[in-house]
């Protein structure tokens, strides 16, 4: 999500993305430079006709900031979704528009491999990727619905279609017991008899294997669709973007690297290991080399050793050790183990190859 597109400077500049086929579109994720925008859904095969999805109005954010937002479409004819294969964003002000990403969300059914079947509890109507079917509770007071996952996942965003009313969403581990610590969000939607759509962002990311939707107060719970956003490995965020190339793995919510690829180190793995590190590998926190290529030494292998100097001296070609001339072993061994247990040559003890070099 670090790359972006720029439009020309002008009034009502637009940027579009064409989808691979026609989808039912209710939610759109956008990452864009802060400003005032209009989003439209279009069927390219039907000419220039389009349906307005929603607006983003100017907020307190400076125009230099980038905003990330899940937009819930609110169509003028009250339809819960529109068919389309093209997403268009239009700037409502004179400016250069900087667009990082626009993508439709909730297009596919939740992976069935993630869902655990619960005997005598119907969850499928709210998990079938169909906004026209629904789960309807028998209880008429404080009714609830739950989804059981096959393993504990970290959840922060949930797409939901539900009748108007006041609700709580909880994420718990092992059972449906709820408390303040399990609460993801409390929210309220207008129209107690109308189908409403919204995108929930939990107050904090929560780990759990049970998602609970609880209606507060009287009346049955009618739930059309619940879609917790759960990314596959090496993906993150509400749009499940791929982790940075320099990351071996990253946090599924923030995208921060949790492990670097071998030749990178530092915060978010932005830095490349020093060029003379052995096998281009270094400490992922400090950038110190684990070993040096021939003729270099030092923590970052930046000290050059003249191969023609000290021809009669034994060398351990390793950034952290020296070779003891009398007993011919690396000092890393003699300093940490009993001497009698360390009667090996430098080549046998130090990592890498050809570490015992007698130039004489």
């Amino acid at each position: 999500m670090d790359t972006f597109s720029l439009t020309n400077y002008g009034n009502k500049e637009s940027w579009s993305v064409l989808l691979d086929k026609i989808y039912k579109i209710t939610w759109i994720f956008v990452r864009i430079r802060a400003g005032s925008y209009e989003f439209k859904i279009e069927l390219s095969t039907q000419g220039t006709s389009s349906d307005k999805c929603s607006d983003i109005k100017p907020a307190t954010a400076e125009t230099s900031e980038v905003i990330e937002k899940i937009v819930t479409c609110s169509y003028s004819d009250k339809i819960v979704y529109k068919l389309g294969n093209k997403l268009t964003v239009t700037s409502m002000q004179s400016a250069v528009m900087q667009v990082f990403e626009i993508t439709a969300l909730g297009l596919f059914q939740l992976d069935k491999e993630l869902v655990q079947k619960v005997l005598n509890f119907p969850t499928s109507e709210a998990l079938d990727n169909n906004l026209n079917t629904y789960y309807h509770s028998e209880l008429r007071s404080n009714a609830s619905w739950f989804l059981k996952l096959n393993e504990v996942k970290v959840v922060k965003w949930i797409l939901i279609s539900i009748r108007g009313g006041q609700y709580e969403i909880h994420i718990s581990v092992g059972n449906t017991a709820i408390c303040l610590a399990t609460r993801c969000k409390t929210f309220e939607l207008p129209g107690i008899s109308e189908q409403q759509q919204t995108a929930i962002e939990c107050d904090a990311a929560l780990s759990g294997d049970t998602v609970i939707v609880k209606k507060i107060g009287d009346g049955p719970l009618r739930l059309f669709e619940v879609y917790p956003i759960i990314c596959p490995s090496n993906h993150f965020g509400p749009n499940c973007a791929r982790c940075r190339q320099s990351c071996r793995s990253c946090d599924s919510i923030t995208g921060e690297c949790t492990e670097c690829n071998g030749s990178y180190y530092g915060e978010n793995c932005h830095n490349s290991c020093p060029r003379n590190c052995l096998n281009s590998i270094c400490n992922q926190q400090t950038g110190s080399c684990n070993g040096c290529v021939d003729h270099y030494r030092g923590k970052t292998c930046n000290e050059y050793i003249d191969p023609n100097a000290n021809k009669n001296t034994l060398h351990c070609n390793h950034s952290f050790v020296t070779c003891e001339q009398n007993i011919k072993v690396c000092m890393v061994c003699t300093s940490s183990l009993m001497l009698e247990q360390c009667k090996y040559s430098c080549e046998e003890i130090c990592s890498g190859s050809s570490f015992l070099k007698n130039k004489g």
Side-chain angles (χ1 to χ4, degrees):
M1 293 200 299
D2 294 328
T3 58
F4 56 85
S5 296
L6 287 174
T7 66
N8 295 323
Y9 181 87
N11 186 35
K12 292 193 174 182
E13 289 290 320
S14 294
W15 188 88
S16 298
V17 58
L18 192 64
L19 306 179
D20 61 339
K21 64 178 183 179
I22 295 172
Y23 291 99
K24 299 175 181 179
I25 299 174
T26 304
W27 294 278
I28 299 173
F29 170 79
V30 59
R31 187 170 190 261
I32 196 168
R33 184 68 58 187
S36 178
Y37 303 100
E38 179 183 77
F39 296 88
K40 289 187 176 181
I41 311 301
E42 182 178 328
L43 267 174
S44 296
T45 55
Q46 296 182 357
T48 58
S49 63
S50 60
D51 292 287
K52 181 179 175 180
C53 161
S54 184
D55 293 326
I56 292 182
K57 300 296 185 182
T60 56
E62 299 292 333
T63 56
S64 60
E65 294 182 359
V66 174
I67 57 173
E68 291 185 358
K69 185 178 179 67
I70 300 177
V71 177
T72 301
C73 293
S74 179
Y75 299 111
S76 58
D77 54 7
K78 304 297 183 181
I79 299 297
V80 296
Y81 62 82
K82 291 289 184 178
L83 293 173
N85 63 347
K86 187 177 182 181
L87 309 178
T88 300
V89 57
T90 301
S91 175
M92 305 306 292
Q93 57 198 38
S94 294
V96 174
M97 190 163 60
Q98 185 180 24
V99 182
F100 293 85
E101 184 166 358
I102 298 177
T103 187
L105 299 182
L107 301 181
F108 306 103
Q109 187 175 359
L110 186 66
D111 188 352
K112 293 181 179 180
E113 296 296 321
L114 290 173
V115 180
Q116 184 180 130
K117 293 183 179 180
V118 178
L119 188 64
N120 298 326
F121 188 81
T123 60
S124 58
E125 295 92 342
L127 297 172
D128 58 3
N129 199 36
N130 186 343
L131 292 172
N132 296 318
T133 61
Y134 55 84
Y135 163 80
H136 191 86
S137 70
E138 295 180 0
L139 290 176
R140 297 283 173 171
S141 180
N142 294 316
S144 64
W145 173 97
F146 70 91
L147 162 65
K148 193 74 174 176
L149 302 175
N150 278 325
E151 58 182 296
V152 173
K153 295 288 186 179
V154 181
V155 178
K156 189 171 185 181
W157 301 277
I158 301 173
L159 309 179
I160 189 168
S161 179
I162 198 169
R163 269 187 174 175
Q166 189 175 3
Y167 302 92
E168 287 183 352
I169 293 184
H170 291 258
I171 312 293
S172 67
V173 178
N175 54 53
T176 58
I178 61 175
C179 63
L180 186 60
T182 65
R183 190 172 67 192
C184 155
K185 196 79 173 180
T186 299
F187 66 99
E188 186 172 1
L189 296 172
I192 59 172
S193 62
E194 296 179 6
Q195 182 178 357
Q196 307 284 356
Q197 287 68 237
T198 190
I200 299 298
E201 180 174 352
C202 296
D203 296 327
L206 295 172
S207 295
D209 58 7
T210 310
V211 179
I212 303 117
V213 180
K214 179 179 174 59
K215 181 176 173 63
I216 300 174
D218 295 333
L221 170 64
R222 179 169 291 191
L223 185 60
F224 294 87
E225 197 71 20
V226 176
Y227 191 92
I229 295 177
I230 300 172
C231 296
S233 60
N234 295 323
H235 291 74
F236 73 97
N239 59 328
C240 291
R242 187 176 294 276
C243 299
R244 293 179 177 88
Q245 187 177 2
S246 57
C247 299
R248 182 168 296 170
S249 61
C250 71
D251 186 280
S252 63
I253 304 300
T254 65
E256 293 183 0
C257 296
T258 53
E259 186 179 3
C260 299
N261 281 324
S263 57
Y264 293 91
Y265 77 96
E267 186 177 358
N268 277 325
C269 306
H270 281 316
N271 304 313
S272 297
C273 293
R275 60 181 298 179
N276 295 318
C277 287
L278 186 66
N279 299 322
S280 298
I281 296 175
C282 65
N283 183 286
Q284 294 194 356
Q285 282 72 45
T286 65
S288 297
C289 298
N290 297 333
C292 299
V293 298
D294 287 348
H295 312 311
Y296 285 88
R297 66 183 179 186
K299 288 186 176 182
T300 57
C301 299
N302 60 343
E303 301 176 32
Y304 178 70
I305 302 173
D306 186 349
N308 296 317
N310 301 320
K311 289 186 177 181
N312 296 319
T313 303
L314 292 169
H315 297 280
C316 269
N317 191 15
H318 191 286
S319 57
F320 304 117
V321 298
T322 58
C323 193
E324 170 57 46
Q325 302 300 308
N326 295 326
I327 59 175
K328 297 183 176 64
V329 296
C330 294
M331 290 305 293
V332 68
C333 179
T334 59
S335 63
S336 60
L337 299 173
M338 295 298 293
L339 187 60
E340 292 299 317
Q341 295 173 296
C342 287
K343 291 184 178 179
Y344 307 103
S345 70
C346 296
E347 183 175 4
E348 290 173 307
I349 293 176
C350 297
S351 60
S353 62
S354 302
F355 287 99
L356 180 59
K357 295 182 181 179
N358 192 328
K359 302 295 184 178

